[in-house]
């Protein structure tokens, strides 16, 4: 009669067979273990961190685009879309009673330069810098004809190129669209910084976040393209008539800021689009759909150890 069947005796559990190196085999990690989930989703988490960094950089540069030229300070005053130089403008007519000033523009009652931002315009003189900035206005657009004609002294007149009058309506529409798209893109990028970590839990979060990222990218991209085209067209229209002696420059800093923001927003969108089909999520591990790169390597190593034993 075996001892296991006698009263008072219990069968001992089978001893765990030692591993080839003399150590006991450790139990396989559970897919519900937080450490396992953390290791299995490491690649996905790293991708999300990179996307959040891209959104953060884009938000910083979009804020600079938004606040550029709103004040005449040394920093904000250098951020503008385009700048008109009228210091040596040749008038069509001028009364003889005018006193000659430091520049022709000042003699006519105008300012030496006018520069345009997203919310307003600033004006000033070459010797004094920016002297005045208009009140920031929602959906602002720069109307050079109205502004210049309102500042001319009585009896003085200038002949702006005819192309300027032709593009005023286009300028107004483009400025309004650009204003709305830049502001929407900024808000979406900020929201995506907060929502991006949700993509680590499931691919179902990656799809709506990817669509939101695409929308943000289109907003910033279209706004940057409009700002670039508007500035270049305005520069061409004002300098097309050389006998007026009017100069125009595009804002290098503004262009750099808005295209850097566009580039980083595009990179973040590409990452979100890739997360829809790549990189293991927590749901993938829990449902057994994917084991994750690090967890899969551990399982492979265990199978090799068992085979060699």
């Amino acid at each position: 009669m075996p001892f296991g069947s006698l009263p008072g005796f219990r069968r001992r559990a089978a001893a765990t067979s030692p591993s080839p190196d003399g150590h006991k085999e450790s139990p396989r990690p559970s897919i519900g273990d937080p450490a396992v989930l953390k290791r299995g989703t490491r690649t996905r988490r790293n991708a999300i961190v990179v996307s959040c960094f891209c959104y953060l950089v884009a938000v910083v540069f979009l804020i600079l685009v938004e606040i550029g030229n709103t004040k005449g300070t040394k920093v904000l005053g250098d951020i503008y879309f385009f700048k008109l130089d009228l210091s040596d403008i040749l008038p069509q007519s001028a009364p003889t009673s005018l006193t000659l000033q430091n520049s022709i523009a000042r003699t006519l009652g105008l300012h030496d330069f006018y520069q345009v931002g997203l919310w307003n315009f600033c004006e000033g003189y070459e010797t004094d810098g920016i002297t005045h900035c208009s009140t920031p206005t929602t959906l602002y657009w720069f109307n050079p004809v109205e502004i210049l004609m309102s500042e001319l002294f009585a009896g003085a007149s200038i002949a702006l190129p005819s192309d300027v009058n032709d593009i005023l309506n286009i300028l107004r529409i483009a400025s309004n669209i650009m204003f709305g798209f830049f502001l929407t893109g900024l808000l979406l990028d900020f929201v995506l910084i907060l929502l991006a970590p949700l993509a680590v839990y499931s691919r179902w979060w990656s799809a709506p976040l990817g669509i939101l990222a695409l929308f943000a990218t289109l907003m910033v991209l279209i706004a940057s393209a409009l700002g670039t085209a508007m500035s270049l067209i305005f520069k061409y229209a004002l300098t097309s008539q050389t006998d007026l002696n009017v100069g125009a420059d595009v804002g290098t800093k503004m262009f750099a800021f808005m295209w850097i923001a566009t580039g980083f927003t595009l990179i973040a969108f590409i990452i979100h689009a890739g997360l829809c089909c790549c990189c293991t999520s927590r749901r993938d591990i829990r449902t057994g759909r994917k084991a994750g790169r690090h967890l899969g390597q551990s399982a492979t190593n265990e199978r090799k150890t068992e085979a060699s034993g």
Side-chain angles (χ1 to χ4, degrees):
M1 179 181 293
F3 289 103
S5 61
L6 293 177
F9 288 90
R10 284 186 180 177
R11 185 183 299 274
R12 287 187 178 182
T16 305
S17 59
S19 60
D21 58 357
H23 297 285
K24 292 183 178 181
E25 291 185 359
S26 58
R28 287 191 178 182
S30 171
I31 60 175
D33 187 358
V36 173
L37 294 175
K38 187 175 182 179
R39 288 196 303 270
T41 58
R42 184 178 300 173
T43 304
R44 193 174 186 87
R45 285 186 292 107
N46 291 340
I48 292 172
V49 169
V50 173
S51 70
C52 288
F53 173 76
C54 291
Y55 284 129
L56 180 61
V57 174
V59 165
V60 171
F61 281 100
L62 285 175
I63 289 176
L64 291 174
V65 171
E66 290 284 342
I67 65 176
N69 203 64
T70 53
K71 293 184 179 180
T73 60
K74 185 176 181 180
V75 176
L76 298 182
D78 285 339
I79 306 174
Y80 53 84
F81 286 104
F82 56 89
K83 180 178 182 179
L84 309 182
D85 182 7
L86 306 180
S87 56
D88 296 324
I89 188 172
L90 299 178
Q92 189 175 26
S93 63
T96 56
S97 58
L98 293 180
T99 304
L100 184 64
Q101 303 291 330
N102 293 342
S103 65
I104 299 177
R106 185 178 292 195
T107 303
L108 299 174
L110 302 174
H111 290 76
D112 289 343
F113 63 84
Y114 299 81
Q115 57 189 47
V116 182
L118 197 62
W119 295 79
N120 63 339
F121 80 95
C122 294
E123 57 190 3
Y125 302 104
E126 297 295 341
T127 55
D128 304 326
I130 296 176
T131 58
H132 171 72
C133 289
S134 63
T135 304
T137 306
T138 305
L139 299 177
Y140 175 78
W141 71 286
F142 181 67
N143 188 340
V145 176
E146 179 181 348
I147 293 172
L148 298 181
M149 294 306 172
S150 65
E151 293 185 356
L152 279 171
F153 287 144
S157 63
I158 56 175
L160 291 175
S162 58
D163 291 342
V164 174
N165 294 314
D166 297 337
I167 66 171
L168 283 182
N169 190 45
I170 299 175
L171 180 64
R172 178 181 60 82
I173 296 174
S175 298
N176 291 343
I177 295 174
M178 180 180 65
F179 182 94
F181 280 17
F182 267 132
L183 191 57
T184 304
L186 171 60
L187 295 176
L188 288 177
D189 281 355
F190 178 76
V191 170
L192 283 166
I193 294 176
L194 305 177
L195 297 182
L198 294 175
V200 75
Y201 294 100
S202 173
R203 297 174 190 273
W204 290 106
W205 281 108
S206 298
L209 289 176
I211 295 173
L212 199 62
L214 174 61
F215 192 57
T217 303
L218 290 176
M219 292 292 102
V220 180
L221 176 62
I222 294 174
S224 299
L226 284 175
T228 303
M230 181 184 67
S231 300
L232 295 177
I233 292 173
F234 206 87
K235 176 182 178 181
Y236 171 78
L238 283 171
T239 58
S240 60
Q241 196 168 334
T242 56
D243 56 346
L244 288 177
N245 208 22
V246 174
D249 295 317
V250 295
T252 306
K253 289 184 179 180
M254 180 70 85
F255 276 33
F257 292 165
M258 63 186 183
W259 283 110
I260 289 174
T262 302
F264 276 96
T265 303
L266 177 60
I267 293 173
F269 160 68
I270 293 173
I271 293 174
H272 272 296
L275 290 177
C276 292
C277 58
C278 304
C279 302
T280 305
S281 67
R282 290 194 174 191
R283 185 175 180 273
D284 290 335
I285 296 177
R286 287 196 175 105
T287 59
R289 181 180 179 184
K290 286 188 177 181
R293 184 169 61 90
H294 300 280
L295 191 59
Q297 287 177 352
S298 300
T300 302
N301 293 335
E302 287 182 4
R303 287 194 295 269
K304 288 182 178 178
T305 302
E306 291 175 357
S308 62

